[in-house]
């Protein structure tokens, strides 16, 4: 490769930088953006689906470019005028070809950054043991390491931060630890619970990522990042139980429980599906402990940092209890999930489209009805035939899907792009419309719409529509096999959502005391 462009010198301390963030819809990226803004930087986000960012509180302060890291043209547009480019994406769980996808994307990103004269790339990768050959690493760790090597070889000064287990509200690692510990007072566990790891608080990860924007130009290397504690996973479960004030857990390691088997076990016990749990458990086969703390020379820790494991757990639990989880591991789209737009009707001409429509009137206000709709899912359930929803969730998990247990990011408020059990919020017009796209395993595409329409005098109409676009004969057979249950599932949902709104309205006639008897 030949190019006459040279990397500009590092900007002076205090200068505002233009930062490109990839993966802004994901767990780390969604939290890094406000940190960069708070540091006085300008932020541009590269997103395949910009729509998913629209409800973030910082969206009005950033520039958004539609594109994908595998598309050179869109990456080139996003790189124009950028000082620091953050690479926070990976193809984890997209199938057997994810390593090739990661490799190609890293080459595109590095090449376009070099062509655009970007001053620095910052990449968050996985901590790998230096003594273990690459072919013995898990595919996940091997791919993360390869991406780091590609970016370092791009000709752009690059900082590769390597972290092991990230502890923070909503992270996949924390959710796995939390649910395993809370749900299983007595547990048989695989041998990887004896592996030593060096966890790090998400707050420290974000602090270091932000600080790397101002690294000197001549610094282009890998940094290991971790907290002050080196623990086994067994230690982490026991210390989590102590912080959460749970009774002591009895944990019995079983050597024959392989990472693959244990990932399915994790998938059954926790909200983290097996395809996400497997790379996490495979990464714990080898000791992952920091080999240096050189990052401290360039990004010194303020008082109270790095945060210890117990405090990181306490902070994460506080966020969960206060419903202040900003992003979750499920913030990013499920790999392979459909992204086709909802077929429009009545002029849609793309083939069969099945619908189930329900409408109910109520005397409660539109606001009261909307509050119930926006609170659907998670702990509140789906307002009809809980057993049927539970069975559908279990079947989805057995088929490798996400199941019902992803729950909600926030108990009361939804935003576009949020995961909601085995749905994702595709469209929300607060007070009027909630449209969910199915991310369960289906032979077709499915949506669920819930609308609130003003009604006279002062009441509301609830309109509900389930839409299914079948794929092939199997899709048609699926619809007709489940349609006999729609009266119970969808009819019960419409009825119970309205009843819930009425019960929550103190002065609704259904809640008013009976009139006094006639004398």
């Amino acid at each position: 490769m030949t190019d006459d462009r040279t990397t500009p010198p590092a900007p002076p301390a205090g200068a505002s930088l233009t930062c490109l963030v990839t993966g802004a819809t994901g767990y780390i990226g969604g939290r890094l953006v406000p940190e960069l803004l708070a540091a006085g930087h300008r932020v541009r986000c590269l997103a395949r689906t910009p729509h998913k960012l629209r409800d973030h509180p910082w969206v009005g302060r950033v520039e958004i470019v539609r594109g994908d890291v595998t598309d050179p043209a869109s990456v080139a547009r996003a790189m124009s005028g950028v000082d620091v480019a953050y690479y926070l994406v990976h193809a984890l769980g997209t199938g057997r070809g994810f390593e090739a996808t990661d490799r190609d994307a890293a080459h595109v990103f590095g090449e376009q950054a070099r062509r655009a004269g970007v001053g620095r790339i910052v990449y968050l990768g996985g901590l790998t043991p230096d003594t273990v050959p690459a072919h013995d690493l898990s595919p996940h760790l091997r791919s993360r390491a390869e991406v780091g090597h590609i970016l370092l070889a791009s000709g752009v000064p690059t900082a590769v931060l390597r972290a092991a287990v990230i502890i923070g509200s909503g992270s996949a690692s924390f959710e796995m630890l939390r649910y395993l510990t809370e749900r299983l007072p007595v547990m048989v566990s695989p041998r990887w619970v004896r592996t030593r790891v060096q966890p790090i608080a998400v707050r420290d990860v974000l602090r270091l990522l932000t600080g790397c924007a101002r690294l000197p130009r001549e610094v282009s290397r890998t940094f290991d990042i971790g907290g002050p504690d080196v623990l086994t996973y067994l230690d982490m479960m026991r210390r989590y139980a102590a912080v959460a004030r749970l009774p002591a857990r009895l944990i019995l390691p079983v050597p024959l429980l392989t990472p693959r088997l244990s990932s399915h076990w994790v998938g059954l016990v926790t909200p983290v599906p097996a395809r996400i749990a497997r790379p996490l458990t495979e990464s714990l086969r080898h000791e992952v402990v920091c080999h240096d703390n050189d990052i401290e020379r360039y990004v010194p820790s303020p008082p109270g940092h790095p945060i210890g494991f117990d405090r990181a757990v306490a902070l994460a639990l506080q966020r969960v209890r206060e419903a202040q989880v900003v992003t979750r591991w499920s913030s990013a789209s499920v790999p392979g999930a459909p992204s086709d737009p909802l077929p429009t009707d009545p002029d849609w001409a793309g083939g069969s489209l099945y619908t189930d429509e329900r409408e109910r009137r109520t005397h409660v206000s539109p606001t009261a009805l909307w509050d119930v709709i926006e609170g659907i899912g998670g702990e509140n359930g789906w307002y009809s035939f809980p057993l049927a929803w539970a069975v559908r969730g279990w079947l989805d998990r057995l088929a490798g899907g996400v199941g019902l247990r992803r729950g909600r990011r926030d108990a009361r408020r939804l935003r576009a792009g949020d995961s909601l059990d085995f749905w994702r919020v595709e469209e929300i017009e607060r007070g009027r419309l909630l449209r969910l796209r199915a991310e369960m395993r289906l032979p077709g595409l499915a949506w669920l719409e819930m609308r609130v329409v003003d009604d006279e005098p002062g009441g509301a109409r609830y309109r509900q529509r389930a839409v299914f676009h079948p794929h092939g004969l199997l899709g048609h057979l699926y619809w007709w096999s489940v349609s006999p249950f729609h009266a119970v599932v969808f009819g019960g949902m419409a009825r119970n959502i309205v009843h819930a709104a009425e019960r929550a309205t103190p002065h609704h006639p259904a809640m008013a005391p009976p009139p006094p008897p006639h004398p």
Side-chain angles (χ1 to χ4, degrees), residues 109-256:
F109 196 81
E111 170 67 9
Q112 296 305 321
R114 186 182 62 81
R115 288 176 177 271
V118 170
R120 172 161 301 281
I121 294 173
V122 182
Y123 167 58
L124 179 62
L127 186 57
T128 57
D130 291 340
T131 57
V132 177
H135 62 267
D136 286 338
L137 294 174
S138 69
H140 165 61
L141 277 183
R142 186 169 60 240
S143 179
R144 302 299 291 273
E146 183 183 20
V147 167
H149 294 319
I150 292 170
L151 295 177
L152 283 166
S154 66
V156 177
T158 298
V160 175
L161 305 189
R162 307 195 310 171
V165 174
I166 296 177
I167 301 296
S169 60
S171 77
S173 296
F174 177 73
E175 293 286 280
M176 193 171 92
L177 174 67
R178 173 188 169 203
Y179 281 90
L180 285 177
T181 308
E182 291 187 353
R183 291 183 172 177
L184 299 174
V186 179
M187 175 173 51
V188 293
S189 58
R191 59 188 175 188
W192 49 256
V193 299
R194 302 284 186 184
T195 302
R196 293 200 317 156
V197 298
Q198 192 166 350
I200 182 171
V202 68
R203 296 188 185 198
D204 282 318
V205 174
L206 297 171
R207 175 178 62 84
L208 294 170
L209 286 169
T210 303
C212 281
R214 297 196 184 277
L215 288 177
R217 178 180 179 273
E218 65 271 14
V219 176
S220 185
R221 53 165 291 188
T222 293
F223 294 98
D224 292 354
I225 61 172
D229 302 300
V230 176
L231 307 165
T232 66
Y233 206 87
L234 183 61
D235 293 332
M236 289 197 293
M237 286 190 284
R238 287 174 173 163
R239 287 174 66 164
Y240 177 97
V243 173
R245 298 183 179 180
L246 301 172
R249 270 33 193 166
L250 178 60
I251 302 168
L252 307 172
V254 178
L256 297 180

Side-chain angles (χ1 to χ4, degrees), residues 27-89:
Y27 178 72
I28 293 293
R31 296 186 181 211
L32 178 62
V33 169
E35 296 292 326
L36 293 171
L37 291 170
H41 300 312
R42 298 176 297 275
V43 178
R44 180 182 299 160
C45 299
L46 176 67
R48 285 180 299 176
T49 50
H51 171 79
K52 293 181 180 179
L53 296 174
R54 72 172 197 194
D55 292 329
H56 287 264
W58 40 260
V59 69
R61 301 168 59 196
V62 305
E63 178 187 356
I64 300 175
V65 175
R66 182 187 298 274
D68 188 277
V69 289
T70 60
D71 173 34
S74 62
V75 175
R77 289 195 302 273
M79 291 284 188
S80 177
V82 164
D83 299 304
V84 182
Y86 285 89
Y87 192 80
L88 303 174
V89 296

Side-chain angles (χ1 to χ4, degrees), residues 341-358 426 433 435 447 449 451 463-469:
L342 176 69
T344 56
D345 55 316
D347 58 344
W348 185 68
S352 300
L353 193 66
Y354 295 112
T355 62
D356 181 279
E357 301 185 54
R358 312 276 168 169
E426 180 175 89
L433 167 69
R435 179 185 300 139
W447 294 263
E449 285 186 341
R451 293 180 181 269
R463 290 178 180 168
Q464 175 182 295
R465 182 172 72 142
V467 181
F468 184 66
H469 177 204

